[in-house]
Amino acid sequence: MSKTDTYNNQEDEVSKARLEKLDQFFVQKIVLQPFNHFKQLPPLDDFIAKIWAASNYWFQVPKDDLKKITILANKLVAAIYLIDDLTDNAQLRRGIVASHLVYGNPRAIYGSIYGAISAMAKFDELKVIDGFITLGLNLFQGQAMEMYFTRNGICPSEKEYQETVVKKTTSAISFSFFLQQVFARTHKTSDFEPFLVTLGLFFQICNDYISLTSRSYADLKTFGDDITEGIFTFPVIHGIRKRPEDHRLKDILKQRTTDQNLKLHFVKLLQEFGSFDYTLQTLAKLKHNCVEEMKKIGPNPEMENLLNDALNHIGALVM
């Protein structure tokens, strides 16, 4: 081999090593930065994380496997948050500046896609890619439905709201359940879908209620951020549908206001229309239905305590 050939081979090796380092740099420092932004989030009362933890009472997944599942599920949730905040034009996520405002819309989009595809690769490795695709398609369809209503100023019916939540929120919660069943010691073939549908509705309506009534929640986000984003949440749908001749709620939503006084007026209208009372009644029914569905699966005191705590917490909220 000539000196020239040797030199060229050495150059190729150096170039290859440089490219590998550059590739790692772009993944860690460029692509994943919007993702890693979520690691800064304060440890809020994360209901989804608590649901995942309580569900393991059924599945009895070993700790090491459960840790892997949690990491993968959190990656999926981060991908959802990235797109959710961007499409809602959210300013904050639990008191932290939204990722797309720090890194820009394009990087947030690419970060979300990268996270979703890398998660898909893991699901494929576990031979459960079909389930991932089904849940993923439902989730993004639910997000698109919510965006359609919000961007066009169309107040959905309660049934349309429920269908949107089942596709979006229930699918997000279901990812961990689906993975846990793969590694489960028990309940590997149990049907959790009816329970998860009811649980997804319970969780989302809880979140809708808290967003409009909790002062501590308001400290970590912007108060009434759903009002600023023009989202038709459960109490809002009730208020608009109950008083169709009164356009004040829809008029305020259209403004995408950040004014605190106007938001407080919005909340006061919902109180006058009985929308918060109706929301609490609905949550009590959903909690009862969750417990009934749990009886068909098997006892889970941790999940039942979680539901009771959530209902007691929101029942104690006062504006």
Short mmCIF file of all heavy atoms in Angstrom, two decimals, residues 11 19 25 58-59 70 91 110 143 210 213 242 244 251 268 280 282 294:
data_model
loop_
_atom_site.label_atom_id
_atom_site.label_comp_id
_atom_site.label_asym_id
_atom_site.label_seq_id
_atom_site.Cartn_x
_atom_site.Cartn_y
_atom_site.Cartn_z
N GLU A 11 -7.35 9.43 6.77
CA GLU A 11 -8.27 10.55 6.62
C GLU A 11 -9.72 10.06 6.69
O GLU A 11 -10.58 10.70 7.31
CB GLU A 11 -8.03 11.26 5.29
CG GLU A 11 -6.92 12.27 5.31
CD GLU A 11 -7.32 13.51 6.10
OE1 GLU A 11 -8.20 14.26 5.66
OE2 GLU A 11 -6.75 13.69 7.20
N LEU A 19 -17.65 12.55 11.89
CA LEU A 19 -19.06 12.52 11.52
C LEU A 19 -19.91 11.87 12.61
O LEU A 19 -21.04 12.30 12.88
CB LEU A 19 -19.24 11.78 10.19
CG LEU A 19 -18.81 12.54 8.94
CD1 LEU A 19 -18.86 11.62 7.72
CD2 LEU A 19 -19.70 13.76 8.71
N PHE A 25 -23.66 14.98 18.38
CA PHE A 25 -23.85 16.38 18.80
C PHE A 25 -25.21 16.89 18.33
O PHE A 25 -25.95 17.50 19.11
CB PHE A 25 -22.74 17.25 18.22
CG PHE A 25 -22.98 18.73 18.40
CD1 PHE A 25 -22.68 19.35 19.61
CD2 PHE A 25 -23.51 19.50 17.37
CE1 PHE A 25 -22.91 20.71 19.79
CE2 PHE A 25 -23.74 20.86 17.55
CZ PHE A 25 -23.43 21.46 18.75
N TRP A 58 -52.09 -3.72 39.37
CA TRP A 58 -52.67 -4.81 38.58
C TRP A 58 -51.59 -5.64 37.90
O TRP A 58 -51.61 -6.87 37.96
CB TRP A 58 -53.59 -4.25 37.50
CG TRP A 58 -54.95 -3.86 37.93
CD1 TRP A 58 -55.81 -4.58 38.71
CD2 TRP A 58 -55.65 -2.65 37.59
NE1 TRP A 58 -56.99 -3.90 38.88
CE2 TRP A 58 -56.92 -2.71 38.20
CE3 TRP A 58 -55.32 -1.54 36.83
CZ2 TRP A 58 -57.87 -1.70 38.07
CZ3 TRP A 58 -56.25 -0.53 36.69
CH2 TRP A 58 -57.51 -0.60 37.32
N PHE A 59 -50.64 -4.96 37.25
CA PHE A 59 -49.73 -5.66 36.35
C PHE A 59 -48.53 -6.32 37.04
O PHE A 59 -47.99 -7.29 36.52
CB PHE A 59 -49.21 -4.69 35.28
CG PHE A 59 -50.29 -4.13 34.41
CD1 PHE A 59 -50.56 -2.77 34.38
CD2 PHE A 59 -51.04 -4.96 33.60
CE1 PHE A 59 -51.55 -2.25 33.57
CE2 PHE A 59 -52.04 -4.46 32.78
CZ PHE A 59 -52.30 -3.09 32.76
N THR A 70 -41.62 3.64 31.90
CA THR A 70 -41.85 5.03 32.30
C THR A 70 -41.05 5.99 31.42
O THR A 70 -41.56 7.03 31.00
CB THR A 70 -41.47 5.23 33.78
OG1 THR A 70 -42.23 4.33 34.60
CG2 THR A 70 -41.74 6.66 34.22
N GLN A 91 -47.82 29.92 26.31
CA GLN A 91 -46.65 30.68 26.75
C GLN A 91 -45.85 29.93 27.80
O GLN A 91 -44.62 30.03 27.84
CB GLN A 91 -47.10 32.03 27.33
CG GLN A 91 -47.90 32.87 26.35
CD GLN A 91 -47.14 33.23 25.09
OE1 GLN A 91 -46.10 33.87 25.16
NE2 GLN A 91 -47.65 32.81 23.95
N TYR A 110 -39.62 19.31 14.75
CA TYR A 110 -38.70 18.21 14.44
C TYR A 110 -38.37 17.39 15.69
O TYR A 110 -38.21 16.17 15.62
CB TYR A 110 -37.41 18.77 13.82
CG TYR A 110 -37.59 19.30 12.42
CD1 TYR A 110 -37.10 20.55 12.05
CD2 TYR A 110 -38.28 18.56 11.47
CE1 TYR A 110 -37.28 21.05 10.77
CE2 TYR A 110 -38.46 19.06 10.18
CZ TYR A 110 -37.96 20.30 9.84
OH TYR A 110 -38.15 20.78 8.57
N GLN A 143 -56.18 15.46 18.68
CA GLN A 143 -55.59 16.80 18.69
C GLN A 143 -56.11 17.64 17.53
O GLN A 143 -56.38 18.84 17.69
CB GLN A 143 -54.07 16.69 18.61
CG GLN A 143 -53.41 16.24 19.91
CD GLN A 143 -51.90 16.26 19.82
OE1 GLN A 143 -51.33 15.69 18.91
NE2 GLN A 143 -51.26 16.89 20.77
N ILE A 210 -59.70 22.39 37.02
CA ILE A 210 -58.59 22.96 37.78
C ILE A 210 -58.02 24.18 37.08
O ILE A 210 -57.68 25.19 37.71
CB ILE A 210 -57.49 21.90 38.01
CG1 ILE A 210 -58.00 20.81 38.96
CG2 ILE A 210 -56.23 22.53 38.57
CD1 ILE A 210 -57.08 19.62 39.07
N THR A 213 -60.14 27.14 38.05
CA THR A 213 -60.53 27.40 39.44
C THR A 213 -59.39 27.40 40.44
O THR A 213 -59.54 27.93 41.54
CB THR A 213 -61.56 26.34 39.92
OG1 THR A 213 -60.98 25.03 39.81
CG2 THR A 213 -62.84 26.41 39.11
N LYS A 242 -75.87 26.01 27.64
CA LYS A 242 -76.99 26.29 28.53
C LYS A 242 -77.62 27.64 28.24
O LYS A 242 -78.83 27.82 28.36
CB LYS A 242 -76.53 26.24 29.99
CG LYS A 242 -77.67 26.41 30.98
CD LYS A 242 -77.22 26.26 32.43
CE LYS A 242 -78.40 26.38 33.37
NZ LYS A 242 -77.98 26.26 34.79
N PRO A 244 -77.55 29.67 25.11
CA PRO A 244 -77.18 29.92 23.70
C PRO A 244 -77.45 31.35 23.26
O PRO A 244 -76.83 31.83 22.31
CB PRO A 244 -78.06 28.93 22.93
CG PRO A 244 -79.19 28.60 23.85
CD PRO A 244 -78.62 28.66 25.23
N ASP A 251 -67.58 35.36 22.96
CA ASP A 251 -66.93 36.62 22.59
C ASP A 251 -65.59 36.78 23.30
O ASP A 251 -64.61 37.25 22.71
CB ASP A 251 -67.83 37.81 22.91
CG ASP A 251 -69.02 37.93 21.95
OD1 ASP A 251 -68.95 37.31 20.87
OD2 ASP A 251 -69.99 38.62 22.29
N LYS A 268 -66.58 34.01 36.48
CA LYS A 268 -67.79 34.38 37.21
C LYS A 268 -69.05 34.02 36.42
O LYS A 268 -70.05 33.56 36.99
CB LYS A 268 -67.76 35.89 37.51
CG LYS A 268 -68.93 36.36 38.37
CD LYS A 268 -68.82 37.85 38.66
CE LYS A 268 -70.01 38.32 39.50
NZ LYS A 268 -69.94 39.78 39.77
N LEU A 280 -68.68 19.24 38.45
CA LEU A 280 -68.44 18.40 39.63
C LEU A 280 -69.38 17.20 39.66
O LEU A 280 -68.97 16.09 40.03
CB LEU A 280 -68.60 19.24 40.90
CG LEU A 280 -67.51 20.28 41.18
CD1 LEU A 280 -67.86 21.13 42.39
CD2 LEU A 280 -66.16 19.59 41.39
N THR A 282 -70.68 15.74 37.05
CA THR A 282 -70.21 14.83 36.00
C THR A 282 -69.01 14.03 36.47
O THR A 282 -68.90 12.82 36.22
CB THR A 282 -69.85 15.62 34.73
OG1 THR A 282 -71.01 16.34 34.28
CG2 THR A 282 -69.37 14.70 33.62
N MET A 294 -63.52 -0.97 37.29
CA MET A 294 -62.41 -1.61 38.01
C MET A 294 -62.84 -2.93 38.63
O MET A 294 -62.05 -3.88 38.71
CB MET A 294 -61.87 -0.67 39.08
CG MET A 294 -61.06 0.49 38.53
SD MET A 294 -60.77 1.81 39.75
CE MET A 294 -59.90 0.91 41.01
#
